[in-house]
Amino acid sequence: MSTVAAPRKINPLLAAYLANLAAHPLRTKAITSGVLQFIQEVLATHLAGVPARKVPKDAPFYAHAKIESKAPKMTLYGMLVSAPMSHILVGLTQKMFAGKTDLAAKIGQLLVSNLIVAPIQITVYLSSTAVINGARTVDDVRKTVKAGFMNALRMTWMTLPLTIVIAQRYLAPELWVPFINLVQFITGTYFNTQLKKIRMAMDAKAKKDQEEKRE
């Protein structure tokens, strides 16, 4: 008597998400990135200790929750910049190694992802978030990128290969995308928190320098 394994049942919401990801990859990635960037911005604002604005007691709830204009801006960044950029860069990388499954191809894909794709994504991310967090000159953006680039790149080099190995070894294929999104959400929140701290330190230094000049 032969037995047939029952098909794996997955959460209906996850199934719907994966179906949309397959049918409309860029749109689904854009919406996902926008939502995650919004949440990241709110969390990073609290974690970085950004001073709360004084708001009237009858102000909308989002004002008390530190949901300011930066959160919608980060949402737009996620939808219009991050998701399309990642979609294109990852797609080009996959095309370069399409049909190649040998060890050399796997190493080559990993090198391209870490040495070309990741630096581009990090530079764009740091530049965009610097502007959103208050940078007004090219020099301010450059300083922010310089301060955060290597830390972000090292974090990516440590987490990305490990994330892929864990996903492939311990998780069902349908859980890979949500798991990778979760890891990127955590690291993104950390990066944004550090950027806000850098921005506040730069503002404090600039304010101190102005006061010294006046004296």
Side-chain angles (χ1 to χ4, degrees), residues 45-215:
T45 299
H46 285 274
L47 294 174
V50 176
R53 293 184 307 162
K54 293 183 179 180
V55 296
K57 293 182 179 180
D58 59 347
F61 77 94
Y62 57 79
H64 296 282
K66 294 186 180 179
I67 302 178
E68 303 177 1
S69 61
K70 294 176 184 177
K73 290 177 182 177
M74 287 302 297
T75 301
L76 292 176
Y77 161 79
M79 296 181 67
L80 303 180
V81 179
S82 179
M85 176 179 62
S86 178
H87 181 75
I88 292 172
L89 292 176
V90 173
L92 289 174
T93 302
Q94 291 175 340
K95 286 182 180 179
M96 288 176 59
F97 298 93
K100 301 176 182 179
T101 58
D102 59 327
L103 180 60
K106 292 181 179 179
I107 294 175
Q109 187 169 358
L110 185 62
L111 289 175
V112 170
S113 297
N114 282 280
L115 299 180
I116 298 177
V117 175
I120 292 174
Q121 291 176 317
I122 290 170
T123 300
V124 173
Y125 173 79
L126 292 174
S127 301
S128 300
T129 51
V131 173
I132 291 173
N133 282 300
R136 291 294 176 264
T137 66
V138 174
D139 188 55
D140 284 344
V141 174
R142 182 185 62 80
K143 288 179 180 178
T144 302
V145 173
K146 183 178 180 180
F149 181 81
M150 286 310 302
N151 286 335
L153 188 60
R154 280 194 294 267
M155 180 67 73
T156 300
W157 284 348
M158 288 187 296
T159 59
L160 182 59
L162 182 61
T163 300
I164 294 174
V165 169
I166 292 174
Q168 293 179 341
R169 188 174 180 86
Y170 298 106
L171 299 177
E174 62 267 17
L175 298 177
W176 290 0
V177 171
F179 176 68
I180 292 173
N181 284 340
L182 175 62
V183 174
Q184 291 177 338
F185 171 77
I186 294 172
T187 56
T189 302
Y190 171 79
F191 292 154
N192 200 359
T193 301
Q194 298 305 309
L195 284 176
K196 290 183 182 300
K197 291 180 178 180
I198 292 172
R199 184 72 240 168
M200 288 190 294
M202 291 172 60
D203 291 342
K205 185 178 183 301
K207 184 178 179 180
K208 182 178 179 180
D209 292 342
Q210 289 180 353
E211 291 175 352
E212 290 178 351
K213 289 180 179 180
R214 291 175 184 174
E215 295 177 355

